[in-house]
Amino acid sequence: NRLAQLELNFEVGLECAQSIAFALSESQCQSLTYLNLDGCNLGEEGFVGIATALRAYPQLRELHLENDNIGLMGCIALGDSMR
């Protein structure tokens, strides 16, 4: 799998956010270095799953989350995934 960049610029909602998290956790795309989810309105619950999946992506260099309403729990999950 050679995916280096993924950019989604539309509102996805909870169910789609959970699907993104599942795809990220299953694909183990080691070439992914850029993920832009600006404006997807992932929500706190949706982003927690994505943040957890991102633990498998230490090579990720850019993550964009503007206007995603990830909330406190999303921030905590992101922090945990960066350890």
Side-chain angles (χ1 to χ4, degrees), residues 43-59:
E44 190 171 65
E45 186 178 348
F47 183 69
V48 167
I50 292 172
T52 300
L54 290 178
R55 289 181 183 170
Y57 293 86
Q59 77 284 0

Side-chain angles (χ1 to χ4, degrees), residues 15 24 33-35 43 46 55-56 58 62-64 81-83:
E15 188 174 320
L24 286 170
T33 59
Y34 176 91
L35 180 58
R55 289 181 183 170
E62 288 189 53
L63 176 62
H64 298 264
S81 73
M82 297 173 72
R83 291 183 187 196

Side-chain angles (χ1 to χ4, degrees), residues 5-76:
Q5 297 185 4
L6 179 60
E7 188 164 340
L8 302 174
N9 297 57
F10 54 90
E11 192 165 325
V12 297
L14 177 58
E15 188 174 320
C16 189
Q18 291 170 334
S19 295
I20 292 167
F22 177 77
L24 286 170
S25 66
E26 292 295 311
S27 71
Q28 298 296 316
C29 184
Q30 297 306 312
S31 58
L32 185 65
T33 59
Y34 176 91
L35 180 58
N36 183 348
L37 300 172
D38 283 351
C40 290
N41 197 25
L42 302 168
E44 190 171 65
E45 186 178 348
F47 183 69
V48 167
I50 292 172
T52 300
L54 290 178
R55 289 181 183 170
Y57 293 86
Q59 77 284 0
L60 190 67
R61 296 291 174 239
E62 288 189 53
L63 176 62
H64 298 264
L65 299 168
E66 188 174 332
N67 297 317
D68 282 325
N69 302 311
I70 65 172
L72 179 60
M73 294 308 294
C75 289
I76 291 170

